[in-house]
Amino acid sequence: MTDGSDDGSLPLDSMRLALDLEIPSDVRYIEQVVELVTRQCAQLSFTARHCAFNVPVALSEALANAILRGNGEDREKHVRIHASLDYMRLVMEVADEGEGFDLDDCTIDPTTDENLERVDGRGLFLMRKLMDSVERFNDRGNVVRLTLRRA
Amino acid sequence: MTDGSDDGSLPLDSMRLALDLEIPSDVRYIEQVVELVTRQCAQLSFTARHCAFNVPVALSEALANAILRGNGEDREKHVRIHASLDYMRLVMEVADEGEGFDLDDCTIDPTTDENLERVDGRGLFLMRKLMDSVERFNDRGNVVRLTLRRA
Amino acid sequence: MSFSIKKQGEIVVVDVEGQLIVGNRQELKQKVLDELEKGEKRFLIDFSQTGYIDSSGLGVLVSLSKKIREQGGELRLANLNDDLKTLFELTKLDTLFQIADTRERALESF
Amino acid sequence: MSFSIKKQGEIVVVDVEGQLIVGNRQELKQKVLDELEKGEKRFLIDFSQTGYIDSSGLGVLVSLSKKIREQGGELRLANLNDDLKTLFELTKLDTLFQIADTRERALESF
Ligand SMILES: Nc1ncnc2c1ncn2[C@@H]1O[C@H](COP(=O)(O)OP(=O)(O)O)[C@@H](O)[C@H]1O
Ligand SMILES: Nc1ncnc2c1ncn2[C@@H]1O[C@H](COP(=O)(O)OP(=O)(O)O)[C@@H](O)[C@H]1O
């Protein structure tokens, strides 16, 4: 552990934040969940780009998929979010109540000529571009785990 | 779990935040630790009074005691802070590397005539007035646990 | 988050205030389609006040662009900040849209 | 957090900006004692810009109050917000100090 700086600013490398949250399957919650998580990232001095771009876009995608694809927008079903972050990285897990899916099978390349004008299919692609890793977190495949290293 | 409100504001009763932090034994860190924790309380809509008064004062006291009494202001020794909060309560644990102490033996009543003009001795008293409970968290007595119910 | 629409000369200008995401993209789509139905042909979407855009927001832009072209019209974009530029580059949508640095340049370019 | 000192008539007025806590209370103490040594007798501490005060901050106020009285002087306090009022009530220090609602009243009261 470093000793922080002389002005009493906190030694970030010994800090760890965690957040758990459960929301009904309604896309209107996405924006506030994103805000909550990015505020925690700002707390740990993640870069402005991570806070304003990588985290918001990737997390929105994961939440939208969980709500729309995993839970079929059934408000009786819920989406659980777990985020933990420290000086090294942010880890976000998004769990839905769906059947699960295969990340690799479902990811397309939306930048090819035939896909460029598609209206959908950019979610997993963007998550993978904006995070350091995107994984299935369990066998069923209904929990996605996103990891971003602190720059 | 309630369904939150219609404007997409988060269902607070399913939210849980946690924070871990370790600081060197230097009183200059107190203010920033307090700010970090109270910001988390505000996130969970704790009352303005809890955020601006109960939590800051009680936590400052616990930190000051850990730094000055527990660790004798030895910067080689550290103070660990764990806070977790949800819709029901805030729990803060402050651990130092000292010998421990007995909470009840050390608490005086600073409001009696003979104590009123004392310069010290108000810390534990205030912690107990401002929190719902103040406990030793381990046998050694070097971890103090403060609990505040969300009003 | 909201969308404000106004007409500047022959051009319908839409400001996206806040996010353009799955929760509000339909609103943008409907507002633009309404103008298209009224016979408008030239559209500019200005992102100077935009936070982030998700894949469904991008999808709406692609869909609107097609529909406007089908009616013989044009859709242009302006004022992407660095993050949004990166988003369009990652998805190669910068090759599909006409993107101007400023609103003035976009308006002149029609 | 900082302390600004100025003289209003015969009275030394100290504004506590931010917190008054273990990390900075010595600074307040020293500033007031310096004035006392110069022969000042009347002191007003104004808390209108203060956040929170901890037990060591209260301790400094008690200690200053004693030292000023020993020199035949007076210390008064003004502008406690509701939280600070509660703090003084809980510790019964509201019975030890002369506390005015506003700076004006405190200044007049000497
Ligand atoms: N949480 C999920 N549960 C079930 N299926 C999912 C989930 N997330 C993604 N998928 C599948 O992966 C596909 C691709 O997702 P994505 O790249 O986000 O594009 P889009 O959602 O626009 O189709 C989805 O169409 C869906 O079939
Ligand atoms: N973390 C700690 N480690 C060891 N002793 C402690 C600790 N916290 C409090 N004490 C003991 O309890 C006493 C009373 O503490 P407190 O009420 O905060 O008043 P003060 O610190 O002003 O003496 C202290 O003087 C000290 O002896």
Side-chain angles (χ1 to χ4, degrees):
Chain A
M1 195 182 92
T2 62
D3 271 4
S5 63
D6 268 359
D7 60 359
S9 68
L10 295 175
L12 292 178
D13 56 351
S14 73
M15 202 155 132
R16 187 177 179 76
L17 299 173
L19 180 162
D20 286 283
L21 181 61
E22 192 172 316
I23 55 167
S25 299
D26 187 322
V27 294
R28 283 177 307 175
Y29 293 108
I30 292 176
E31 198 172 358
Q32 296 230 22
V33 176
V34 165
E35 200 179 314
L36 187 66
V37 174
T38 51
R39 238 183 264 154
Q40 305 285 345
C41 294
Q43 207 67 266
L44 267 159
S45 298
F46 276 62
T47 63
R49 166 156 279 219
H50 279 174
C51 293
F53 181 52
N54 297 65
V55 175
V57 176
L59 179 54
S60 301
E61 300 299 343
L63 292 170
N65 280 345
I67 292 167
L68 303 174
R69 310 299 186 186
N71 289 350
E73 226 169 342
D74 174 354
R75 273 185 72 106
E76 298 295 301
K77 293 182 176 164
H78 294 90
V79 173
R80 276 183 298 108
I81 300 105
H82 172 74
S84 69
L85 53 166
D86 60 24
Y87 192 66
M88 298 300 283
R89 70 176 67 74
L90 164 70
V91 177
M92 301 183 281
E93 283 151 23
V94 176
D96 59 49
E97 299 183 36
E99 302 299 313
F101 68 107
D102 187 289
L103 262 169
D104 291 323
D105 289 353
C106 289
T107 308
I108 64 155
D109 179 355
T111 68
T112 61
D113 284 345
E114 64 270 28
N115 286 337
L116 192 63
E117 296 209 44
R118 276 183 65 153
V119 174
D120 60 355
R122 292 183 183 85
L124 295 172
F125 174 83
L126 278 175
M127 281 158 64
R128 290 182 142 167
K129 288 282 178 191
L130 298 176
M131 294 284 116
D132 288 304
S133 84
V134 179
E135 309 157 282
R136 287 159 41 126
F137 187 53
N138 63 352
D139 284 340
R140 184 161 144 204
N142 64 328
V143 184
V144 172
R145 179 188 199 139
L146 313 179
T147 306
L148 176 68
R149 280 193 301 273
R150 198 166 163 290
Chain B
M1 195 183 92
T2 62
D3 271 6
S5 63
D6 268 359
D7 60 358
S9 69
L10 295 175
L12 292 178
D13 56 350
S14 73
M15 202 156 134
R16 189 179 177 76
L17 299 172
L19 181 162
D20 286 283
L21 180 62
E22 191 172 316
I23 54 168
S25 300
D26 186 323
V27 294
R28 284 177 307 176
Y29 293 108
I30 291 177
E31 198 172 357
Q32 295 230 22
V33 176
V34 165
E35 200 179 314
L36 186 66
V37 173
T38 52
R39 238 183 264 155
Q40 305 284 342
C41 293
Q43 208 68 266
L44 267 159
S45 298
F46 276 62
T47 62
R49 167 157 278 219
H50 278 175
C51 294
F53 181 51
N54 298 65
V55 175
V57 176
L59 179 54
S60 300
E61 299 300 343
L63 292 170
N65 280 345
I67 292 167
L68 302 175
R69 311 298 186 185
N71 289 350
E73 225 169 340
D74 174 354
R75 273 185 72 106
E76 298 295 300
K77 294 183 175 164
H78 292 90
V79 173
R80 277 182 298 108
I81 301 104
H82 172 75
S84 69
L85 53 165
D86 60 24
Y87 191 66
M88 299 298 285
R89 70 176 68 73
L90 163 70
V91 178
M92 300 183 281
E93 283 152 23
V94 176
D96 59 49
E97 299 181 37
E99 301 300 312
F101 68 107
D102 187 288
L103 261 170
D104 291 322
D105 288 355
C106 289
T107 309
I108 65 156
D109 180 355
T111 67
T112 61
D113 285 345
E114 65 270 27
N115 286 337
L116 193 62
E117 296 208 45
R118 276 183 65 153
V119 174
D120 60 355
R122 291 184 184 84
L124 295 173
F125 173 83
L126 279 175
M127 281 159 63
R128 291 182 141 167
K129 288 283 179 191
L130 298 175
M131 295 283 117
D132 289 304
S133 83
V134 179
E135 309 156 282
R136 289 159 38 127
F137 188 52
N138 63 352
D139 283 340
R140 182 162 146 205
N142 64 327
V143 184
V144 172
R145 179 189 198 138
L146 313 179
T147 306
L148 177 67
R149 280 194 300 273
R150 197 166 163 290
Chain C
M1 48 197 189
S2 70
F3 309 102
S4 72
I5 293 211
K6 62 165 166 263
K7 195 107 186 261
Q8 251 174 280
E10 290 298 292
I11 302 158
V12 177
V13 181
V14 186
D15 280 291
V16 176
E17 290 152 18
Q19 331 314 336
L20 175 58
I21 51 181
V22 60
N24 68 346
R25 66 185 162 140
Q26 283 302 338
E27 195 186 327
L28 174 68
K29 189 167 178 181
Q30 200 49 57
K31 283 195 170 167
V32 173
L33 290 182
D34 288 349
E35 298 299 321
L36 192 63
E37 253 182 34
K38 285 189 219 153
E40 299 295 344
K41 295 262 180 281
R42 297 170 163 187
F43 292 85
L44 168 59
I45 304 186
D46 187 320
F47 294 99
S48 56
Q49 297 170 69
T50 309
Y52 56 95
I53 300 179
D54 71 6
S55 65
S56 74
L58 292 175
V60 156
L61 297 177
V62 170
S63 152
L64 285 174
S65 156
K66 268 194 245 176
K67 291 210 158 69
I68 292 170
R69 264 182 283 132
E70 282 164 17
Q71 304 293 319
E74 273 186 89
L75 169 64
R76 298 193 176 170
L77 313 180
N79 272 321
L80 300 177
N81 66 27
D82 285 349
D83 293 341
L84 293 177
K85 267 183 204 149
T86 303
L87 183 70
F88 277 77
E89 284 161 16
L90 285 175
T91 52
K92 295 224 171 108
L93 289 177
D94 58 334
T95 64
L96 193 69
F97 290 100
Q98 293 221 40
I99 302 174
D101 274 352
T102 66
R103 187 171 184 132
E104 293 65 40
R105 286 215 197 133
L107 288 170
E108 286 165 13
S109 73
F110 277 95
Chain D
M1 48 197 189
S2 69
F3 309 102
S4 72
I5 293 211
K6 63 163 166 264
K7 198 110 182 260
Q8 252 176 281
E10 290 299 292
I11 302 159
V12 177
V13 180
V14 186
D15 279 291
V16 176
E17 290 152 18
Q19 331 312 338
L20 174 56
I21 52 181
V22 60
N24 68 348
R25 65 185 162 142
Q26 284 303 339
E27 194 187 328
L28 174 68
K29 189 168 179 179
Q30 200 49 56
K31 284 196 170 166
V32 172
L33 291 183
D34 288 349
E35 299 298 320
L36 192 63
E37 253 180 34
K38 287 191 218 153
E40 297 296 343
K41 296 261 180 282
R42 297 171 163 186
F43 292 85
L44 168 60
I45 304 186
D46 186 321
F47 294 100
S48 55
Q49 298 170 68
T50 309
Y52 55 96
I53 299 180
D54 72 6
S55 66
S56 73
L58 292 175
V60 157
L61 297 177
V62 170
S63 151
L64 285 174
S65 154
K66 269 196 244 176
K67 292 213 158 70
I68 292 170
R69 263 183 282 132
E70 283 163 15
Q71 304 293 319
E74 272 186 275
L75 169 64
R76 297 195 175 167
L77 312 180
N79 273 320
L80 301 178
N81 66 25
D82 285 349
D83 293 341
L84 293 177
K85 267 182 204 150
T86 302
L87 183 69
F88 278 77
E89 284 161 16
L90 284 175
T91 53
K92 293 224 169 106
L93 289 177
D94 58 334
T95 63
L96 193 71
F97 290 100
Q98 293 221 40
I99 302 174
D101 276 350
T102 66
R103 189 172 184 131
E104 292 65 41
R105 287 215 195 131
L107 289 169
E108 285 163 13
S109 73
F110 279 95

